[in-house]
Amino acid sequence: MAQLYQTAAGILERAQRQQGAVKSLVYNSKYTNVKQLYALVCETLRYSGVLQEIISSANLLKEERKLKMSLAKVLVYDFLFGKGLKCGGGWKVTLQKHRARLQAELARLKIKRKVSRNEDLLTPVEGATEVLLPRYVRVNTLKTSTEDVIDYFKRQNYTYLGRASSVQELGRLSGKQFLTDCHLRELLVFPPRTDFHQDFLYKSGHIILQDKASSLPAFLLDPPSGCHVIDACAAPGNKTSHLAAILNNVGKIFAFDLDTKRLATMSTLLLRAGVTCHELANQDFLQVEPSDPRYSNVRHILLDPSCSGSGIVDRLNQLTDDMKSSCEERLQSLAAFQKRMLGHVLSFPKVQRVVYSTCSLHQQENEDVVQDALERNAAFRLMNVLPSWTQRGLDTFCGARCCLRASPAETLTNGFFVAVFERKREGGECSETFSSSCNSFDAEDTGVEREPVLAAVSTSCKKKRKKKKSKLE
Ligand code: SAM
């Protein structure tokens, strides 16, 4: 039990140092009762401000010099608001010494704030407003069809409103209504807080609960059935299972990940989803030899590397004190890793199309990584994908608007970034694409939708070219 408190305190510290999201820190701790640990961490975070006030006014840390604030918060939480410190070894004895004073400080705080219940002490944390995203449900076409799933939900008394015509329509869903997404045909959209974790279709792998933004990478890589694909950072495997569905289980997915525990989860997920066309490898992708004959037919690669996760809407992370300010040093090191990974991916001799994605909001991990790759790899350029997607890459280099960005406010998804690279065709340019140099943009028509987005990119590029030229003159 003392270990429970120590582990919870360690997680609070690591979350505050931005060493990971609360959920994954709990999951990755070696503590056996994950549920109990998660509940304790969450509740301590909720009461964090109140606990700090009580601990300070009771002079607890001054009197118990060995006690750190994070551990004090966990212990005092359980003592005053939780189960009452049933165990805790030496720390239980210590807290009991201060019992009367801690209880008195809690009572004093309630009088000061004119409340009678502990719950009423909780004030909304600044910036920690709950962001409600629609519930996205990806139909696993390896096991069922969109039509069958729609019928199933209709039988569960849900009202099907057809295919959405805009993102705004997704935001207006309420009660038991649902829609087909306006961009992805295999994505059904329900009102926020709809929970399908206990639903038969989820438990049997017929549906996958996956955010819309995170469904974009496989959709945009779009490998033809029968081909060979690499998923370079694959665990826990939602995008791999999506790729398998697109391949219809015909072909091969070489899926790599460094993390054994995440790979074990991935095996379970893929089994449930009926994926059979994969080969899992617990391997550092940077050590995979591009010229290895096993990968000689790989033409499509998905790279979704570790990132800061700053785009993930998670109220718990907002509750950890300084989550908003991102440590520059950490970002630089993540960006350096992402650049190495992307460079490695682009060195596969036969690769034709590469999708790079992150769930980060930071330019350093997104546009900057893409720009670096374009500058180092003249054989590749960006594809101007999904022209109807309104939120584009930050305009930091020529063609950056070919990339997609996603956010709760504009696309009703988690924060996300996607770029699609394509190998230039020998002796010819592709129409809807950009490489590192503005000059390689051309507007020849390939029959791809010509929407205002493409025109906007083109204009911004022309402006930049003009600016560059006048500088030279
Ligand atoms: N694509 C996954 C999905 O959709 O479920 C999520 C991938 S997660 C953002 C990044 C993953 O990259 C982590 O599981 C991490 O273990 C893995 N990773 C980090 N460095 C790696 C490396 N050098 N080689 C292979 N995998 C790596």
mmCIF file of all heavy atoms in Angstrom, residues 232-239 256-259 262 283-286 304-306 337 341, ligand 1:
data_model
loop_
_atom_site.group_PDB
_atom_site.id
_atom_site.type_symbol
_atom_site.label_atom_id
_atom_site.label_comp_id
_atom_site.label_asym_id
_atom_site.label_seq_id
_atom_site.Cartn_x
_atom_site.Cartn_y
_atom_site.Cartn_z
ATOM 1 N N ALA A 232 5.798 2.130 -39.099
ATOM 2 C CA ALA A 232 7.101 2.197 -38.439
ATOM 3 C C ALA A 232 7.015 2.288 -36.913
ATOM 4 O O ALA A 232 7.898 1.801 -36.214
ATOM 5 C CB ALA A 232 7.878 3.396 -38.989
ATOM 6 N N CYS A 233 5.995 2.950 -36.402
ATOM 7 C CA CYS A 233 5.793 3.101 -34.945
ATOM 8 C C CYS A 233 4.350 2.701 -34.686
ATOM 9 O O CYS A 233 3.462 3.546 -34.665
ATOM 10 C CB CYS A 233 6.013 4.546 -34.528
ATOM 11 S SG CYS A 233 7.697 5.082 -34.702
ATOM 12 N N ALA A 234 4.108 1.438 -34.502
ATOM 13 C CA ALA A 234 2.755 0.916 -34.722
ATOM 14 C C ALA A 234 1.873 0.781 -33.484
ATOM 15 O O ALA A 234 0.652 0.830 -33.596
ATOM 16 C CB ALA A 234 2.853 -0.431 -35.417
ATOM 17 N N ALA A 235 2.474 0.557 -32.313
ATOM 18 C CA ALA A 235 1.656 0.228 -31.136
ATOM 19 C C ALA A 235 0.953 1.457 -30.558
ATOM 20 O O ALA A 235 1.521 2.547 -30.600
ATOM 21 C CB ALA A 235 2.545 -0.411 -30.076
ATOM 22 N N PRO A 236 -0.259 1.328 -30.049
ATOM 23 C CA PRO A 236 -1.010 0.090 -29.825
ATOM 24 C C PRO A 236 -1.808 -0.419 -31.032
ATOM 25 O O PRO A 236 -2.562 -1.378 -30.888
ATOM 26 C CB PRO A 236 -1.944 0.463 -28.683
ATOM 27 C CG PRO A 236 -2.179 1.923 -28.857
ATOM 28 C CD PRO A 236 -0.911 2.495 -29.426
ATOM 29 N N GLY A 237 -1.693 0.191 -32.181
ATOM 30 C CA GLY A 237 -2.158 -0.496 -33.377
ATOM 31 C C GLY A 237 -3.457 -0.067 -34.023
ATOM 32 O O GLY A 237 -3.935 -0.751 -34.930
ATOM 33 N N ASN A 238 -4.010 1.064 -33.602
ATOM 34 C CA ASN A 238 -5.261 1.484 -34.243
ATOM 35 C C ASN A 238 -5.074 1.768 -35.721
ATOM 36 O O ASN A 238 -5.923 1.437 -36.554
ATOM 37 C CB ASN A 238 -5.821 2.738 -33.560
ATOM 38 C CG ASN A 238 -6.699 2.378 -32.379
ATOM 39 O OD1 ASN A 238 -7.254 1.282 -32.345
ATOM 40 N ND2 ASN A 238 -6.806 3.270 -31.424
ATOM 41 N N LYS A 239 -3.927 2.392 -36.050
ATOM 42 C CA LYS A 239 -3.709 2.722 -37.469
ATOM 43 C C LYS A 239 -3.350 1.461 -38.252
ATOM 44 O O LYS A 239 -3.700 1.335 -39.427
ATOM 45 C CB LYS A 239 -2.647 3.813 -37.607
ATOM 46 C CG LYS A 239 -3.108 5.103 -36.948
ATOM 47 C CD LYS A 239 -2.120 6.218 -37.032
ATOM 48 C CE LYS A 239 -2.562 7.389 -36.174
ATOM 49 N NZ LYS A 239 -2.330 7.194 -34.719
ATOM 50 N N PHE A 256 6.345 -2.192 -36.682
ATOM 51 C CA PHE A 256 7.454 -2.138 -35.723
ATOM 52 C C PHE A 256 7.065 -1.315 -34.509
ATOM 53 O O PHE A 256 6.338 -0.333 -34.628
ATOM 54 C CB PHE A 256 8.681 -1.469 -36.370
ATOM 55 C CG PHE A 256 9.183 -2.204 -37.574
ATOM 56 C CD1 PHE A 256 8.695 -1.901 -38.845
ATOM 57 C CD2 PHE A 256 10.131 -3.210 -37.440
ATOM 58 C CE1 PHE A 256 9.151 -2.584 -39.960
ATOM 59 C CE2 PHE A 256 10.590 -3.903 -38.548
ATOM 60 C CZ PHE A 256 10.101 -3.581 -39.815
ATOM 61 N N ASP A 257 7.596 -1.701 -33.357
ATOM 62 C CA ASP A 257 7.520 -0.829 -32.184
ATOM 63 C C ASP A 257 8.576 -1.265 -31.179
ATOM 64 O O ASP A 257 8.917 -2.445 -31.085
ATOM 65 C CB ASP A 257 6.136 -0.847 -31.524
ATOM 66 C CG ASP A 257 5.877 0.443 -30.763
ATOM 67 O OD1 ASP A 257 6.426 0.593 -29.646
ATOM 68 O OD2 ASP A 257 5.163 1.322 -31.274
ATOM 69 N N LEU A 258 9.067 -0.265 -30.438
ATOM 70 C CA LEU A 258 10.114 -0.511 -29.439
ATOM 71 C C LEU A 258 9.556 -1.064 -28.143
ATOM 72 O O LEU A 258 10.263 -1.735 -27.409
ATOM 73 C CB LEU A 258 10.768 0.840 -29.085
ATOM 74 C CG LEU A 258 12.009 1.277 -29.814
ATOM 75 C CD1 LEU A 258 12.481 2.607 -29.228
ATOM 76 C CD2 LEU A 258 13.104 0.238 -29.655
ATOM 77 N N ASP A 259 8.296 -0.766 -27.873
ATOM 78 C CA ASP A 259 7.742 -1.000 -26.545
ATOM 79 C C ASP A 259 7.002 -2.344 -26.456
ATOM 80 O O ASP A 259 5.956 -2.536 -27.073
ATOM 81 C CB ASP A 259 6.775 0.162 -26.247
ATOM 82 C CG ASP A 259 6.322 0.190 -24.813
ATOM 83 O OD1 ASP A 259 5.975 -0.883 -24.282
ATOM 84 O OD2 ASP A 259 6.303 1.277 -24.234
ATOM 85 N N ARG A 262 3.318 -2.227 -25.071
ATOM 86 C CA ARG A 262 2.363 -1.690 -26.051
ATOM 87 C C ARG A 262 2.139 -2.689 -27.185
ATOM 88 O O ARG A 262 1.040 -2.798 -27.726
ATOM 89 C CB ARG A 262 2.863 -0.345 -26.596
ATOM 90 C CG ARG A 262 2.699 0.791 -25.587
ATOM 91 C CD ARG A 262 3.480 2.022 -25.988
ATOM 92 N NE ARG A 262 2.916 2.734 -27.111
ATOM 93 C CZ ARG A 262 2.075 3.760 -27.017
ATOM 94 N NH1 ARG A 262 1.695 4.179 -25.833
ATOM 95 N NH2 ARG A 262 1.624 4.372 -28.092
ATOM 96 N N GLN A 283 11.214 -3.951 -32.425
ATOM 97 C CA GLN A 283 12.504 -3.540 -32.968
ATOM 98 C C GLN A 283 12.553 -2.017 -33.115
ATOM 99 O O GLN A 283 11.528 -1.389 -33.411
ATOM 100 C CB GLN A 283 12.639 -4.183 -34.362
ATOM 101 C CG GLN A 283 14.049 -4.257 -34.875
ATOM 102 C CD GLN A 283 14.100 -4.954 -36.240
ATOM 103 O OE1 GLN A 283 13.158 -5.685 -36.609
ATOM 104 N NE2 GLN A 283 15.164 -4.733 -36.964
ATOM 105 N N ASP A 284 13.739 -1.465 -32.935
ATOM 106 C CA ASP A 284 13.953 -0.040 -33.196
ATOM 107 C C ASP A 284 13.910 0.159 -34.711
ATOM 108 O O ASP A 284 14.741 -0.392 -35.435
ATOM 109 C CB ASP A 284 15.319 0.363 -32.625
ATOM 110 C CG ASP A 284 15.645 1.821 -32.883
ATOM 111 O OD1 ASP A 284 14.885 2.492 -33.628
ATOM 112 O OD2 ASP A 284 16.663 2.286 -32.357
ATOM 113 N N PHE A 285 12.961 0.942 -35.168
ATOM 114 C CA PHE A 285 12.808 1.089 -36.614
ATOM 115 C C PHE A 285 14.049 1.711 -37.257
ATOM 116 O O PHE A 285 14.352 1.435 -38.424
ATOM 117 C CB PHE A 285 11.563 1.938 -36.942
ATOM 118 C CG PHE A 285 11.356 2.089 -38.408
ATOM 119 C CD1 PHE A 285 10.986 1.005 -39.196
ATOM 120 C CD2 PHE A 285 11.577 3.303 -39.038
ATOM 121 C CE1 PHE A 285 10.836 1.126 -40.564
ATOM 122 C CE2 PHE A 285 11.426 3.439 -40.408
ATOM 123 C CZ PHE A 285 11.055 2.344 -41.178
ATOM 124 N N LEU A 286 14.780 2.505 -36.472
ATOM 125 C CA LEU A 286 15.994 3.125 -37.034
ATOM 126 C C LEU A 286 17.051 2.073 -37.371
ATOM 127 O O LEU A 286 17.962 2.325 -38.150
ATOM 128 C CB LEU A 286 16.566 4.153 -36.053
ATOM 129 C CG LEU A 286 15.753 5.438 -35.902
ATOM 130 C CD1 LEU A 286 16.227 6.241 -34.698
ATOM 131 C CD2 LEU A 286 15.837 6.277 -37.175
ATOM 132 N N ASP A 304 4.127 7.377 -37.542
ATOM 133 C CA ASP A 304 3.357 8.069 -36.502
ATOM 134 C C ASP A 304 4.210 8.008 -35.224
ATOM 135 O O ASP A 304 3.893 7.262 -34.293
ATOM 136 C CB ASP A 304 2.017 7.317 -36.343
ATOM 137 C CG ASP A 304 1.069 7.976 -35.356
ATOM 138 O OD1 ASP A 304 0.973 9.209 -35.345
ATOM 139 O OD2 ASP A 304 0.418 7.235 -34.598
ATOM 140 N N PRO A 305 5.311 8.756 -35.185
ATOM 141 C CA PRO A 305 6.301 8.535 -34.117
ATOM 142 C C PRO A 305 5.872 9.132 -32.775
ATOM 143 O O PRO A 305 4.903 9.894 -32.712
ATOM 144 C CB PRO A 305 7.523 9.298 -34.646
ATOM 145 C CG PRO A 305 6.945 10.410 -35.436
ATOM 146 C CD PRO A 305 5.664 9.882 -36.050
ATOM 147 N N SER A 306 6.623 8.804 -31.743
ATOM 148 C CA SER A 306 6.376 9.398 -30.427
ATOM 149 C C SER A 306 6.464 10.909 -30.565
ATOM 150 O O SER A 306 7.301 11.423 -31.306
ATOM 151 C CB SER A 306 7.444 8.935 -29.434
ATOM 152 O OG SER A 306 7.432 7.552 -29.346
ATOM 153 N N PHE A 337 14.472 13.452 -33.081
ATOM 154 C CA PHE A 337 14.122 12.038 -33.275
ATOM 155 C C PHE A 337 13.171 11.877 -34.466
ATOM 156 O O PHE A 337 13.355 11.013 -35.330
ATOM 157 C CB PHE A 337 13.482 11.516 -31.974
ATOM 158 C CG PHE A 337 12.642 10.279 -32.142
ATOM 159 C CD1 PHE A 337 13.226 9.038 -32.350
ATOM 160 C CD2 PHE A 337 11.245 10.355 -32.083
ATOM 161 C CE1 PHE A 337 12.436 7.905 -32.512
ATOM 162 C CE2 PHE A 337 10.455 9.222 -32.243
ATOM 163 C CZ PHE A 337 11.055 7.993 -32.461
ATOM 164 N N MET A 341 13.730 9.763 -37.918
ATOM 165 C CA MET A 341 12.796 8.699 -38.328
ATOM 166 C C MET A 341 12.271 8.960 -39.744
ATOM 167 O O MET A 341 12.226 8.057 -40.579
ATOM 168 C CB MET A 341 11.603 8.622 -37.361
ATOM 169 C CG MET A 341 11.932 8.099 -35.989
ATOM 170 S SD MET A 341 12.344 6.352 -35.987
ATOM 171 C CE MET A 341 10.780 5.609 -35.669
HETATM 172 N N1 SAM B 1 0.554 4.450 -34.562
HETATM 173 C C1 SAM B 1 0.135 4.045 -33.243
HETATM 174 C C2 SAM B 1 -1.369 3.843 -33.245
HETATM 175 O O1 SAM B 1 -2.071 4.391 -34.071
HETATM 176 O O2 SAM B 1 -1.880 3.126 -32.380
HETATM 177 C C3 SAM B 1 0.583 5.024 -32.171
HETATM 178 C C4 SAM B 1 2.078 5.226 -32.175
HETATM 179 S S1 SAM B 1 2.665 6.173 -30.812
HETATM 180 C C5 SAM B 1 2.296 7.781 -31.282
HETATM 181 C C6 SAM B 1 4.394 6.102 -31.068
HETATM 182 C C7 SAM B 1 4.992 4.730 -30.881
HETATM 183 O O3 SAM B 1 6.337 4.779 -31.371
HETATM 184 C C8 SAM B 1 5.106 4.261 -29.446
HETATM 185 O O4 SAM B 1 4.400 3.068 -29.289
HETATM 186 C C9 SAM B 1 6.599 4.029 -29.235
HETATM 187 O O5 SAM B 1 6.873 2.891 -28.457
HETATM 188 C C10 SAM B 1 7.086 3.821 -30.647
HETATM 189 N N2 SAM B 1 8.515 4.123 -30.898
HETATM 190 C C11 SAM B 1 9.263 5.107 -30.399
HETATM 191 N N3 SAM B 1 10.523 5.060 -30.904
HETATM 192 C C12 SAM B 1 10.555 4.022 -31.769
HETATM 193 C C13 SAM B 1 11.566 3.461 -32.606
HETATM 194 N N4 SAM B 1 12.802 3.967 -32.654
HETATM 195 N N5 SAM B 1 11.242 2.393 -33.356
HETATM 196 C C14 SAM B 1 9.994 1.862 -33.321
HETATM 197 N N6 SAM B 1 9.000 2.349 -32.537
HETATM 198 C C15 SAM B 1 9.274 3.416 -31.763
#
